Amino acid sequence: GFVAAAVALDRPVGVDVQRPPDAVGDRLLRRCLGPRAADLADLPAAHRATEFAWVWTVQESCVKAEGTGLAGRPWAISVPVRPRRGRWRDVTWVSLRDHTDMPVSCAFGEAPC
């Protein structure tokens, strides 16, 4: 029921929207959040799933902007819990937390000189 699109002139861009999963186990948290998994471990299940989805949208949008997709190992990108904006390699990312309840994030690369 949701679609996300991003358009950028003269720069790579990636976008991801993710419905929170029904459950997020400890193993998945550790795999995708590394040492930050502890920040979500004690949350109620629904809240934990939503926060995980926000992180995952950042990770996915970054590798999409890089052009590598899953081969870029999105789960290895360090993203803080309750993300709003940041940088990874040459990619700037923004989570639209202040605009929607559905986890959606966008990432974009540097514009050529």
Side-chain angles (χ1 to χ4, degrees):
F2 291 89
V3 174
V7 177
L9 299 176
D10 298 326
R11 69 177 63 206
V13 65
V15 64
D16 193 64
V17 61
Q18 179 71 45
R19 184 180 304 275
D22 292 332
V24 177
D26 291 337
R27 185 173 175 200
L28 181 59
L29 278 183
R30 286 191 307 273
R31 174 79 167 152
C32 294
L33 277 75
R36 296 175 191 228
D39 295 340
L40 297 184
D42 294 332
L43 292 178
H47 192 73
R48 178 181 184 164
T50 299
E51 290 304 324
F52 172 80
W54 279 107
V55 169
W56 182 251
T57 64
V58 170
Q59 293 170 323
E60 273 283 300
S61 65
C62 285
V63 296
K64 288 176 181 178
E66 187 181 56
T68 57
L70 289 176
R73 302 178 61 231
W75 53 86
I77 299 171
S78 181
V79 176
V81 174
R82 295 173 190 83
R84 290 236 174 339
R85 60 184 57 248
R87 260 185 93 66
W88 171 73
R89 295 185 181 168
D90 293 331
V91 175
T92 299
W93 56 263
V94 177
S95 285
L96 302 178
R97 294 177 75 95
D98 298 327
H99 305 285
T100 179
D101 292 333
M102 179 60 64
V104 59
S105 298
C106 182
F108 47 94
E110 298 291 326
C113 295

